[in-house]
Amino acid sequence: MAEILALVEARLISALGEPDARADVTFLGTDRIEVLRFRDGDVVRYATLGMSGQPMADPTSPLADPVKGPRAELILSVRGGVADTDQLLRPLAVLAASPQVEGLIVAAGASLDLGEPLWTGAPFTSVLVAESGGLVEDLELDEPMDPVRFLPLLPMTHNEAAWKRVRGAQELQERWLAHGTDLRDPLRTSVVLDQPGPSHAADG
């Protein structure tokens, strides 16, 4: 596990630079989760380190495979200096520990709900898990282990989360794109959901 996490940290640093802060959180019965903070101009990125130490197991499986299974870390990017987003450290650690605590398999297209704001005053209580491979490339591990995927998290407002449950992740992402939504804006409001976006003017 330590060897895997050393490779994961090296991949994060090669893609995002040296972290300027880190914090670690340990939940009862789980391995330690660290959250690293990286700065890129006016963008602050928070990345978990520790979630990928063990593969995620199907909660319906009577026996968890200690080697095979999906592995992931989480990354959330926001504009700095606008809100107290450093409060994200613990919520991100909670999400990263959810496979161990709740038996969840976190994958692209899933919603993760904290049930409370991501930081004080945040309009978001949940996130959409996006596809990996963009910001940080997947980390290949020795067979038979699955690669570590670095999954971006996109904060969702309550209305967006409810709409996503009905319409699906792809339609929500298309709506964000159509309206030019700045998903890194920590103070943004919900995208317009009850009418077609500009690129869908011919729908229906």
Side-chain angles (χ1 to χ4, degrees), residues 23-34 90 93-94 97 101:
D24 62 85
V25 182
T26 303
F27 303 99
L28 187 64
T30 68
D31 298 316
R32 184 181 69 169
I33 302 289
E34 283 192 276
R90 184 174 176 82
V94 169
V101 175

Side-chain angles (χ1 to χ4, degrees), residues 10-99:
R11 174 58 57 89
L12 285 168
I13 290 173
S14 70
L16 305 177
E18 288 288 340
D20 71 341
R22 63 173 69 207
D24 62 85
V25 182
T26 303
F27 303 99
L28 187 64
T30 68
D31 298 316
R32 184 181 69 169
I33 302 289
E34 283 192 276
V35 180
L36 281 55
R37 186 181 71 190
F38 303 85
R39 293 193 183 274
D40 179 12
D42 68 340
V43 175
V44 182
R45 306 189 196 281
Y46 301 90
T48 64
L49 177 63
M51 181 179 175
S52 60
Q54 297 182 31
M56 293 180 274
D58 184 340
T60 63
S61 173
L63 205 59
D65 191 312
V67 177
K68 295 181 183 178
R71 297 174 188 261
E73 298 289 354
L74 309 175
I75 301 176
L76 199 154
S77 302
V78 291
R79 299 209 177 278
V82 182
D84 188 7
T85 56
D86 279 352
Q87 294 178 25
L88 271 168
L89 298 175
R90 184 174 176 82
L92 270 185
V94 169
L95 296 179
S98 60

Side-chain angles (χ1 to χ4, degrees), residues 43-185:
V43 175
V44 182
R45 306 189 196 281
Y46 301 90
T48 64
L49 177 63
M51 181 179 175
S52 60
Q54 297 182 31
M56 293 180 274
D58 184 340
T60 63
S61 173
L63 205 59
D65 191 312
V67 177
K68 295 181 183 178
R71 297 174 188 261
E73 298 289 354
L74 309 175
I75 301 176
L76 199 154
S77 302
V78 291
R79 299 209 177 278
V82 182
D84 188 7
T85 56
D86 279 352
Q87 294 178 25
L88 271 168
L89 298 175
R90 184 174 176 82
L92 270 185
V94 169
L95 296 179
S98 60
Q100 293 184 62
V101 175
E102 302 176 43
L104 294 180
I105 293 182
V106 179
S111 301
L112 302 176
D113 195 338
L114 279 161
E116 59 185 36
L118 296 182
W119 57 86
T120 301
F124 320 106
T125 60
S126 61
V127 293
L128 174 65
V129 183
E131 294 283 350
S132 68
L135 189 62
V136 183
E137 289 186 13
D138 296 347
L139 174 64
E140 298 291 336
L141 300 176
D142 293 338
E143 293 287 349
M145 292 186 286
D146 287 21
V148 177
R149 304 192 187 282
F150 297 89
L151 300 169
L153 301 181
L154 308 176
M156 293 188 292
T157 66
H158 176 75
N159 287 344
E160 290 168 344
W163 202 80
K164 182 263 177 184
R165 284 194 294 271
V166 175
R167 304 291 288 271
Q170 184 174 346
E171 285 207 29
L172 176 58
Q173 289 179 293
E174 288 175 356
R175 184 53 55 96
W176 280 336
L177 187 62
H179 285 271
T181 305
D182 181 3
L183 297 174
R184 295 173 182 169
D185 180 357

